[in-house]
Amino acid sequence: MEKISSTKNTKVKEWVKLKTNNGRKKYRKFLLEGRHPVETALEQGADYEYLIIQEGFDLGELAERIDEERLILVTKEVANHIADTVHDQGIFMIGVIDEQVWQIPNDFSGKWLLLDNVQDPGNIGTMVRTADAAGFTGVVFGDGTADFYNPKILRSMQGSQYHLQLKRLNLKKWINSNKANGNAIFGSILDENALDYHQVEAPENFSLIMGNEGNGMSKELISLTDANLYIPIKGSAESLNVAVAAGVLIFGLID
Amino acid sequence: MEKISSTKNTKVKEWVKLKTNNGRKKYRKFLLEGRHPVETALEQGADYEYLIIQEGFDLGELAERIDEERLILVTKEVANHIADTVHDQGIFMIGVIDEQVWQIPNDFSGKWLLLDNVQDPGNIGTMVRTADAAGFTGVVFGDGTADFYNPKILRSMQGSQYHLQLKRLNLKKWINSNKANGNAIFGSILDENALDYHQVEAPENFSLIMGNEGNGMSKELISLTDANLYIPIKGSAESLNVAVAAGVLIFGLID
C-alpha cells in the first residue's frame, strides 16, 4: 500500500484540484468524502481510481470490498489538505467520471428534471432526491448550475445519483432535441398569468425546468418551452423555496 | 444615544443569552440580526426594546423610522460578540416576544402546520415560508422542535413570521383541543400502508403534522391523528426531504 505524507505530492496536488469544476473537467475524476458516501459508491459499483484513508482509519467491513492496489494511506495533514469539510472522516475516493455525463442521450423517453442556473448545493441535492423519489429518469444540469460532483451536492443527494441519470448539457440543445422527438417541455415561473400547474395533464414523456433561486429561469429558455407553469400563491410569501416548488410541481405532474 | 464598548456590560451579557432557548424564555426577548431582517421587522411594526448598531453603520433611510431613545451604539468588538453569523452586518434588534406565542388560541379555524421535533433550521424556515405561501393560518412548534427565535430560523423564514401565527405549544394538547372543536388532524408517515394523500379530501379546518428528519413523528402523536398520510415513492429514494414532503402535502391538501 502506497503511503503519502507530503501535501506537495503530485497525486495530492491533483486531488485538491478535483474540488473545482475545472479540475474535474481536466482530469475527468471527482473527489468523494466520508464513510457513508464512499460505502454507497462501492456498493453501487462506482468506477474509482483510488481509495484514500487517513492513518488510523478503521476500514471495518469495507476491507473485504477494497482492491489493495488502489488503496493509499495518508497522514492527518494530507487528509486535512484534501478534505472539503472541517471535520473530515478520514476516508476519500477518487471517482472516475463517466463520459456519458456530457453526451445527449439516444433515448429521451421518461421524465426529466432540468436545472437552469441553480446555485445552492443543498437545493440541488434535494431536487435530485425528489426526482428520484418520483421515479424520474434523470436530472440535466444546465449551464450555470453547480456541478454535481461538487462535494456538498454529492453529500446532499444521499445516493440518488446512483438511481437516475445525471447529465451536464446545454439546456437549449436538450429542448430542441426533445421537441424533435415530440416530448413536452414545461418551464416554471413566478407569474400569475402563467399556466396554473393544476390545469396540466402531463404526458408520459416530459422535461420540467426549474430556474435560479433569485432570478428564475432565463428568458431564452422561457420562450422555448411548450408551457410555463405557475404554483398559485395564496398567502403573503413572495415565493417558494426552489426545491419545495420542484417537489410540488413534480408530484403534481405525475399525479 | 447610549454607547457600549465593553463586552462585560450588563446589557451585552443579556443579549448574548438571547441566542439560547433558555435565555429567550427567561427574558421574553429575542435577538434579530442583519439589515434586511431588521428593516422588515420595523416595517411590520414588531415590538422591540433596542436597536443596536455598530460604529460606522449607515442607517440610511432607517434613520427616519427609528426611535432615538432606543438606539444603542456599540464597538466592533461588542458587535462581533453578540453576532450569530461570522460576518455580522452591524445592525441588531432586541425584539419583545409576544406572550400569545405560548397560549392556546381561542379560535382554531383555518389550516395549521404542526412541527413535531423538527431539528434543521433551514427546513423549519422553509416550511414556515411554504405554509405562508399556501395561505395557512399558523405554524405550531411542538416540543423538541427548534425555537423560531433561533437566529438561523429567523433568517430562513424570510419575513413569513409576520404573515401567519407562530405558536410554541405541546402538540398533544393542540390535538386534543382541536378534536374537541371537530377539526381534522392529519399526520404524515413514511409507511406504504398509510393513507395515500391523493385519497384525502381535506376539510376547511385542519392541522397537518410533520415529524423529525430522521425518525418521523412520535408514536404517541401518530396514534392521536384522524389519519396518517403517505406520499407514494415511485423511484428508489428512501425518503423525501421533510420540507419538500411538507410542500407536496400542503399543496396537495389545499387543491
Side-chain angles (χ1 to χ4, degrees):
Chain A
M1 182 167 46
E2 185 177 349
K3 188 182 162 176
I4 298 177
S5 53
S6 164
T7 56
K8 292 187 176 127
N9 177 287
T10 322
K11 283 198 183 88
V12 175
K13 283 184 180 168
E14 184 184 306
W15 297 340
V16 170
K17 286 183 190 145
L18 300 183
K19 292 201 261 187
T20 68
N21 250 327
N22 285 338
R24 290 186 290 266
K25 261 194 191 160
K26 182 175 172 188
Y27 297 104
R28 305 262 154 155
K29 294 172 203 160
F30 67 98
L31 176 73
L32 191 63
E33 180 176 341
R35 182 185 281 272
H36 187 64
V38 170
E39 273 179 358
T40 309
L42 288 171
E43 274 166 20
Q44 301 288 335
D47 190 12
Y48 70 98
E49 185 183 26
Y50 296 115
L51 202 83
I52 304 154
I53 55 171
Q54 183 181 319
E55 289 174 311
F57 181 84
D58 179 17
L59 275 168
E61 288 179 10
L62 270 181
E64 294 162 28
R65 214 180 287 155
I66 286 167
D67 175 9
E68 270 264 8
E69 285 178 19
R70 289 188 277 176
L71 194 61
I72 296 180
L73 193 70
V74 298
T75 58
K76 189 170 167 44
E77 191 198 354
V78 171
N80 285 343
H81 190 63
I82 58 178
D84 182 64
T85 49
V86 180
H87 302 284
D88 76 85
Q89 295 174 58
I91 182 164
F92 307 85
M93 173 185 273
I94 304 300
V96 177
I97 298 182
D98 189 333
E99 292 287 330
Q100 288 201 349
V101 155
W102 291 286
Q103 287 159 8
I104 283 269
N106 295 319
D107 182 6
F108 288 98
S109 62
K111 295 166 180 62
W112 296 81
L113 177 67
L114 276 48
L115 305 180
D116 177 29
N117 199 18
V118 184
Q119 298 299 313
D120 181 74
N123 283 339
I124 294 172
T126 301
M127 285 193 275
V128 172
R129 206 173 138 198
T130 305
D132 178 18
F136 270 40
T137 309
V139 181
V140 186
F141 286 57
D143 301 333
T145 296
D147 192 8
F148 47 82
Y149 290 109
N150 170 315
K152 285 198 192 78
I153 298 181
L154 283 172
R155 281 194 299 277
S156 69
M157 289 193 287
Q158 299 198 8
S160 282
Q161 64 267 42
Y162 303 112
H163 305 150
L164 36 65
Q165 296 178 46
L166 297 188
K167 298 264 176 200
R168 174 163 281 287
L169 290 167
N170 179 282
L171 296 186
K172 209 176 140 183
K173 271 192 202 161
W174 178 273
I175 293 171
N176 289 331
S177 310
N178 257 275
K179 280 190 168 172
N181 279 271
N183 295 331
I185 308 281
F186 298 117
S188 56
I189 54 177
L190 196 60
D191 178 351
E192 290 179 31
N193 300 315
L195 185 63
D196 183 337
Y197 77 101
H198 294 98
Q199 296 176 278
V200 175
E201 195 69 51
E204 185 68 20
N205 303 322
F206 69 83
S207 297
L208 169 68
I209 311 173
M210 299 305 300
N212 174 268
E213 285 90 343
N215 305 315
M217 279 173 62
S218 73
K219 280 187 185 161
E220 193 186 9
L221 293 185
I222 288 175
S223 70
L224 292 173
T225 61
D226 293 307
N228 294 305
L229 312 182
Y230 170 70
I231 301 171
I233 303 280
K234 307 198 176 184
S236 312
E238 285 170 22
S239 64
L240 287 167
N241 163 278
V242 66
V244 172
V248 171
L249 291 176
I250 286 172
F251 278 88
L253 290 176
I254 64 169
D255 258 6
Chain B
M1 180 166 52
E2 186 176 350
K3 187 181 163 176
I4 299 178
S5 52
S6 164
T7 57
K8 291 186 175 126
N9 176 287
T10 321
K11 283 198 183 93
V12 175
K13 282 184 180 168
E14 184 185 306
W15 297 340
V16 170
K17 286 183 190 145
L18 300 183
K19 293 201 261 188
T20 68
N21 250 326
N22 284 339
R24 289 186 290 265
K25 260 194 191 157
K26 182 175 171 189
Y27 297 104
R28 305 264 155 154
K29 294 173 205 161
F30 67 99
L31 176 72
L32 191 63
E33 181 176 340
R35 181 185 282 271
H36 187 64
V38 170
E39 273 178 357
T40 309
L42 289 171
E43 274 164 22
Q44 301 289 334
D47 190 12
Y48 71 97
E49 186 184 25
Y50 296 115
L51 201 83
I52 303 153
I53 56 171
Q54 185 181 318
E55 289 173 314
F57 181 84
D58 178 16
L59 276 168
E61 289 178 10
L62 269 182
E64 294 162 27
R65 213 180 287 153
I66 286 166
D67 176 9
E68 270 263 6
E69 283 179 20
R70 288 187 278 175
L71 193 62
I72 296 180
L73 193 71
V74 298
T75 58
K76 189 170 166 45
E77 192 199 353
V78 171
N80 287 341
H81 190 64
I82 59 177
D84 183 63
T85 50
V86 180
H87 302 285
D88 76 83
Q89 296 174 57
I91 182 163
F92 307 86
M93 173 185 273
I94 304 301
V96 178
I97 299 181
D98 188 334
E99 292 286 331
Q100 288 202 349
V101 156
W102 291 285
Q103 287 159 9
I104 283 269
N106 295 319
D107 181 6
F108 287 98
S109 63
K111 296 167 180 61
W112 295 81
L113 178 67
L114 275 48
L115 305 179
D116 177 28
N117 199 20
V118 184
Q119 298 299 313
D120 181 74
N123 284 339
I124 293 172
T126 301
M127 285 193 277
V128 172
R129 206 173 137 198
T130 305
D132 177 17
F136 270 41
T137 310
V139 180
V140 186
F141 286 57
D143 300 335
T145 296
D147 191 6
F148 47 83
Y149 290 109
N150 171 315
K152 285 198 192 79
I153 298 181
L154 283 173
R155 280 194 299 276
S156 69
M157 289 193 288
Q158 299 197 6
S160 282
Q161 65 267 40
Y162 303 111
H163 305 150
L164 34 65
Q165 296 179 48
L166 298 186
K167 297 262 176 202
R168 174 164 280 288
L169 291 166
N170 179 281
L171 296 186
K172 208 175 142 183
K173 270 193 202 160
W174 178 272
I175 293 170
N176 289 331
S177 309
N178 257 276
K179 281 189 166 170
N181 279 270
N183 296 333
I185 307 280
F186 298 116
S188 57
I189 56 176
L190 197 61
D191 178 350
E192 291 178 32
N193 299 317
L195 184 63
D196 183 337
Y197 77 100
H198 294 97
Q199 297 176 277
V200 175
E201 195 69 50
E204 184 69 21
N205 302 322
F206 68 83
S207 298
L208 168 68
I209 310 173
M210 299 305 300
N212 175 267
E213 285 90 344
N215 304 314
M217 279 173 61
S218 74
K219 280 187 184 161
E220 194 186 11
L221 292 186
I222 288 175
S223 70
L224 291 174
T225 63
D226 293 306
N228 293 304
L229 311 183
Y230 169 70
I231 301 172
I233 302 280
K234 306 200 176 182
S236 311
E238 286 170 20
S239 64
L240 287 168
N241 162 278
V242 67
V244 172
V248 172
L249 292 176
I250 285 173
F251 279 88
L253 290 175
I254 64 168
D255 259 5

